[in-house]
Amino acid sequence: MQRLPRDLDVCLLANGIDATTIGGVSRWATDLAVQLPALRFATAPSGGDLPAARVYHALTAADAARAGRAVRATGRPLLLTCHAMSDAWRPEGVAAFGLDSSHGGGGGGKGDDDDHSDKGDDDWEDDDDHDQGKGNDKPTGFAARERRGYAAADLIGAVSDTVARSHVAAGAPAGRMVVIPNGAPQTATVAAAAEPLVGFVGRIAPVKGLPRLLRAMRVVRSSRPDARLVVIGPAEASTAYLRRLRRLAAEPGLRGAVRFVGASRPELWYPRLACLAMASETEGMPLVLLEAMAHGVPCVAPDVGGVRDTLGDAGVIVAPRDVEALAAGIIAILDDATHADALAAAGRTRAARWTAADTAAAYAALYSQLGVSCGTSCC
């Protein structure tokens, strides 16, 4: 995508869109533009001057709120897509880590670069006072901003049923809400792991729960000392947080078994993985799970946000914030080749049911409903 001064069909409104980002809204937006070559896309900061376009498409409720008045002044429609759970739903403390629009969050609170050095290795993630099931329903500035975003939008999309329900509960009008799941990429490459290599794919940020995954891997290695972990993704947390991760990775039971490879291309790693594992606090509809399933990689993930909508019965879903359960899910895959093969086959089948092209076609239909048609040549 490039920024064009005129003749735009769709202007994507978000801050920090980066086509090289692993997963998240940046990757989603880039893929959407690639899938719809007949439409002219551009990006613009939601709080800045808007280029002329036929439809404006905000990628978070916060972006819709920031741009709402300016879009109304153009007389053009505004589409909002909700990629993450409502800020009103999130466990208290999660929004404070600044889940910005480039990655799918609401964009509120402090950034990931804040220094949390006054906390332990686990940061906020294992605090007993978090409401894991109901979330934080206290009135906040984030919730008010979301409601302004809902009010500004002509149509609202959500990436999963669970994400949609969270936003309707937060005040989004159900009559303007439509669920368009994220689509899986299609690939002929199938995982054929020769060793018990567990992978994490995503940005290194507190909300991803990497300390918990590291502790789970220590449990895994107590019964499978040959198991290793590769962490694939850019570092987007404070220096203090990264130091804590590396300190955990150097502890007895993990020393020499964890590799941080940075923003490497995940498609080069999926064929080598015996298992993909997540330990997140919250997710919308994780693209990395879809990618892993498409490659035939068995997945283990916590029952948060839209994870269950994504995996269904094609992966291992464990209790949130449960190190032992996460470890048990990983061990079950590493120790039972029949179980792993069944999950891999089920994942590939599930990923083929709704593809990235299907997602793009659904958005093309929404754009057409809002007055932008690309005929029969969109996808």
Side-chain angles (χ1 to χ4, degrees):
M1 287 178 294
Q2 58 179 332
R3 190 172 298 182
L4 301 173
R6 61 182 182 276
D7 298 325
L8 296 178
D9 292 308
V10 181
C11 179
L12 300 173
L13 300 173
N15 297 322
I17 290 294
D18 178 0
T20 66
T21 295
I22 293 175
V25 176
S26 285
R27 178 71 172 271
W28 181 93
T30 302
D31 289 348
L32 179 66
V34 169
Q35 291 283 344
L36 299 178
L39 295 180
R40 294 187 180 219
F41 283 84
T43 63
S46 56
D49 294 334
L50 301 181
R54 298 166 69 191
V55 168
Y56 294 91
H57 186 169
L59 302 186
T60 71
D63 290 314
R66 281 190 288 262
R69 182 176 299 176
V71 172
R72 281 197 301 273
T74 70
R76 298 294 189 175
L78 175 63
L79 171 64
L80 162 63
T81 295
C82 299
H83 292 268
M85 300 292 284
S86 163
D87 272 320
W89 175 91
R90 287 198 184 113
E92 187 174 355
V94 173
F97 286 97
L99 306 179
D100 61 277
S101 61
S102 64
H103 303 291
K110 300 177 182 179
D112 279 335
D113 289 334
D114 290 339
D115 189 350
H116 311 296
S117 57
D118 58 329
K119 299 188 178 182
D121 286 336
D122 302 338
D123 287 329
W124 43 270
E125 64 184 15
D126 288 324
D127 291 350
D128 292 333
D129 59 353
H130 292 325
D131 187 341
Q132 297 178 29
K134 298 177 182 178
N136 174 22
D137 58 3
K138 299 175 184 177
T140 67
F142 307 128
R145 182 175 56 192
E146 280 189 329
R147 289 193 294 270
R148 292 197 302 273
Y150 306 147
D154 295 278
L155 286 174
I156 304 171
V159 298
S160 73
D161 290 330
T162 302
V163 169
R165 287 195 295 271
S166 80
H167 285 276
V168 170
R176 279 187 270 147
M177 178 74 73
V178 59
V179 175
I180 300 179
N182 288 338
Q186 297 307 292
T187 176
T189 304
V190 180
E195 56 182 321
L197 180 62
V198 178
F200 167 86
V201 177
R203 62 194 181 105
I204 300 175
V207 73
K208 297 300 183 180
L210 277 167
R212 184 181 303 119
L213 178 56
L214 289 168
R215 294 197 303 276
M217 281 300 300
R218 190 164 53 208
V219 176
V220 169
R221 282 175 51 81
S222 67
S223 65
R224 286 296 302 264
D226 56 340
R228 297 183 300 114
L229 174 67
V230 59
V231 178
I232 305 157
E236 298 185 6
S238 68
T239 301
Y241 183 80
L242 297 175
R243 281 200 303 265
R244 282 195 285 275
L245 292 181
R246 294 192 179 277
R247 189 165 61 242
L248 283 171
E251 289 182 352
L254 285 179
R255 188 178 298 117
V258 180
R259 184 180 175 194
F260 294 86
V261 299
S264 181
R265 292 169 57 191
E267 65 271 18
L268 301 180
W269 284 96
Y270 288 128
R272 301 171 56 181
L273 301 181
C275 170
L276 181 129
M278 301 176 67
S280 304
E281 277 291 315
T282 182
E283 290 285 349
M285 190 173 192
L287 290 171
V288 294
L289 291 182
L290 295 170
E291 292 171 353
M293 286 194 294
H295 283 85
V297 180
C299 300
V300 182
D303 193 4
V304 298
V307 165
R308 187 172 293 276
D309 296 331
T310 308
L311 284 180
D313 59 1
V316 178
I317 301 174
V318 301
R321 299 178 176 155
D322 190 327
V323 169
E324 296 292 333
L326 182 59
I330 295 170
I331 291 170
I333 290 172
L334 298 183
D335 281 354
D336 188 340
T338 300
H339 177 52
D341 289 345
L343 288 176
R348 284 181 61 80
T349 298
R350 188 173 181 86
R353 290 178 186 170
W354 185 264
T355 69
D358 293 322
T359 297
Y363 274 98
L366 282 190
Y367 293 148
S368 180
Q369 185 177 341
L370 294 172
V372 177
S373 175
C374 56
T376 60
S377 60
C378 270
C379 301

